[in-house]
Amino acid sequence: SGLLTRLQTSAPTIRTLSSSNSFSQNIPSCLWKLGRLNHVAIAVPDLEKAQSLYKDVLGAQVSETVALPEHGVYTVFVELGNTKLELLHPLGEKSPIASFLQKNKTGGMHHICIEVDDIKAAMTELKEKKIRILSEEPKIGAHGKPVIFLHPKDCHGVLVELEQA
């Protein structure tokens, strides 16, 4: 009975949120909306090996390799049903992925991409809120849509890509 008494007295208190409390109460209204997670990007030192892992070992649907010279990367998309993985490999010596892989030899998560319904409105409001955007204008991303990147130091250490939905 001594163990049971100790377990009963040291059990954590669990609090639940009242259904009357709405998280949206504290969220200021924006002229744009954050949408779904589009993809998680992973920098890989060996693109063919990474493609093979997802296709041959895990059985995922994997796209062909696409070169994006404007971004300095080769991309491959892995379909996951509810989102995608984007495999990134350096294209050219000035590739941001090359410098990432110099610091992370085995690769790793590079960025997340979230869709927005109005990228221009998002840019305007984020600048007003002192969130640094890594380009003056959106660039066309891997899906043929405008994208911007937010500075990781302003996003808790995560490089965030916003893509026009």
Side-chain angles (χ1 to χ4, degrees):
S1 86
L3 177 61
L4 182 58
T5 304
R6 276 186 277 150
L7 287 173
Q8 288 172 334
T9 58
S10 66
T13 303
I14 298 173
R15 293 190 176 114
T16 58
L17 292 172
S18 165
S19 60
S20 64
N21 287 347
S22 171
F23 286 111
S24 63
Q25 291 174 343
N26 299 325
I27 300 173
S29 63
C30 294
L31 298 174
W32 57 280
K33 289 183 184 161
L34 206 55
R36 72 180 193 94
L37 175 67
N38 184 284
H39 64 266
V40 174
I42 301 169
V44 297
D46 186 332
L47 191 55
E48 289 176 8
K49 191 173 180 181
Q51 279 176 291
S52 177
L53 168 69
Y54 289 101
K55 183 178 181 182
D56 302 329
V57 177
L58 299 176
Q61 182 180 339
V62 177
S63 75
E64 295 297 319
T65 302
V66 175
L68 296 175
E70 183 179 352
H71 295 276
V73 295
Y74 290 103
T75 65
V76 169
F77 281 94
V78 179
E79 293 292 330
L80 298 178
N82 62 342
T83 191
K84 297 178 277 297
L85 296 178
E86 179 183 31
L87 306 178
L88 297 172
H89 187 73
L91 171 61
E93 293 173 14
K94 295 182 181 178
S95 170
I97 301 304
S99 59
F100 181 91
L101 289 171
Q102 285 174 353
K103 297 174 200 150
N104 306 277
K105 301 290 184 205
T106 59
M109 191 188 94
H110 185 262
H111 68 269
I112 64 169
C113 176
I114 304 170
E115 296 175 359
V116 295
D117 67 343
D118 187 338
I119 201 161
K120 289 289 196 175
M123 289 179 72
T124 300
E125 191 166 313
L126 290 167
K127 285 179 184 176
E128 289 171 4
K129 292 178 177 178
K130 307 294 186 227
I131 302 295
R132 290 172 282 179
I133 299 170
L134 300 181
S135 61
E136 289 299 313
E137 290 296 322
K139 294 181 179 179
I140 299 303
H143 299 115
K145 297 178 180 182
V147 300
I148 58 170
F149 286 87
L150 308 181
H151 199 295
K153 289 184 179 174
D154 297 339
C155 300
H156 306 285
V158 177
L159 179 61
V160 176
E161 178 183 19
L162 298 181
E163 178 179 283
Q164 178 70 47

